[in-house]
Amino acid sequence: MKQKVLRVLIACVLIGAGVWIGVSFVSPLEAESNTPTPGSVEDPVVTKSYVDEQLAKINGGGGTGNTGGTGASATLEVVAVPAGKTLMAGAGTEVIVRVGKALAYSVDTNGVADLTDGTELKKGAAVPTNHLLIFPREGRGIHPDPAQNNGLTVLVRGSYTLQ
């Protein structure tokens, strides 16, 4: 009789352990099955072009290209400044002269900030190649040195006009 009781007790323990193990492993699987499937309506996949479009909306959609001698861009844009023309930069515009000899231009006595050297370039001062310039106000710009026949190639971030 003791053996029968012992066998029933062992069977009950094994059945209880099996139920406990079953509940422990099935519950997390059920919880995982409730998570949304990637790409579904609950968890959509976003494309790079969509993200780029949304960022352009946030950044004001800065245009690219040089239409009619004017432009504005949130990225660096390559701009050709012909001989005899002046690139007039908007407030906060950044310019880097890549090719050619340039001179600073200003309508008043103040100049252009050369961030690379930490100096101010007054009207008529030579602009070093590959230096980052920032234009704090309207009415300032750069133009090709009249002593050279060629124009300039510059990188521009921000608004500008060619005059």
Side-chain angles (χ1 to χ4, degrees), residues 66 68-71 79-90 105-107 138-144 159-163:
N66 187 1
T70 64
V79 177
V81 181
K85 295 281 189 177
T86 301
L87 183 140
M88 297 297 290
Y105 175 81
S106 179
V107 294
E138 303 282 333
R140 297 184 176 123
I142 60 170
H143 59 88
S159 62
Y160 67 90
T161 58
L162 292 176
Q163 299 179 352

Side-chain angles (χ1 to χ4, degrees), residues 95-106:
V95 174
I96 301 171
V97 176
R98 293 289 294 146
V99 177
K101 294 182 181 182
L103 301 177
Y105 175 81
S106 179

Side-chain angles (χ1 to χ4, degrees), residues 29-54:
L29 292 176
E30 286 179 0
E32 286 180 17
S33 68
N34 292 334
T35 59
T37 305
S40 68
V41 174
E42 293 82 26
D43 187 17
V45 175
V46 180
T47 63
K48 181 184 179 308
S49 61
Y50 175 80
V51 172
D52 290 344
E53 179 183 319
Q54 297 307 311

